[in-house]
Amino acid sequence: MEEKKKKNIFLKILSILFLFYFALYMMDNLGYYNIASKNKILTDEKIKEFENDVKNGNNIDIKNYIEDNTNYRNVYSDIGYKISTGIDTFLNKGLKNIGNVLKKLFQNK
């Protein structure tokens, strides 16, 4: 009889953790996190404005000091937008035409 080889669960877990570590390490080295954080900028001018507002006792809202330059437009979002507007116009015109046909069918002559 052949003995079944037991699969070493510890080695599988260790290899999966290593793959996660390696992926995160590569993302850091390739600048993924730097690009994501670069989109939100707190400039020196905004820092000085914040400090002046603190000294003067003005209301402080973080949204007034952070410039968000994130651009969410890409090919896929443009395609999705075009498809959704196409479906919207098709359904609106289709329902309008169905309404007109039903009006003509049930009109009293």
Side-chain angles (χ1 to χ4, degrees), residues 13-43:
I13 292 172
L14 189 65
S15 61
I16 290 171
L17 289 174
F18 176 74
L19 288 175
F20 281 133
Y21 171 77
F22 185 71
L24 291 173
Y25 177 78
M26 290 304 296
M27 287 170 56
D28 184 43
N29 280 343
L30 294 175
Y32 176 78
Y33 292 115
N34 294 334
I35 291 171
S37 66
K38 189 177 95 176
N39 289 337
K40 294 182 179 175
I41 301 171
L42 186 62
T43 60

Side-chain angles (χ1 to χ4, degrees), residues 40-97:
K40 294 182 179 175
I41 301 171
L42 186 62
T43 60
D44 291 333
E45 180 182 305
K46 292 291 185 177
I47 291 172
K48 289 178 185 175
E49 183 180 335
F50 173 76
E51 290 172 352
N52 287 334
D53 286 345
V54 170
K55 285 179 187 176
N56 296 333
N58 297 340
N59 285 339
I60 296 173
D61 186 11
I62 193 67
K63 293 177 184 177
N64 296 335
Y65 305 105
I66 293 178
E67 297 176 11
D68 190 6
N69 297 330
T70 306
N71 183 7
Y72 294 106
R73 290 194 66 188
N74 58 28
V75 175
Y76 303 111
S77 64
D78 291 341
I79 290 171
Y81 179 73
K82 288 178 184 177
I83 289 173
S84 66
T85 54
I87 291 171
D88 181 48
T89 55
F90 175 75
L91 288 177
N92 283 336
K93 288 181 182 178
L95 291 175
K96 193 174 188 179
N97 290 338

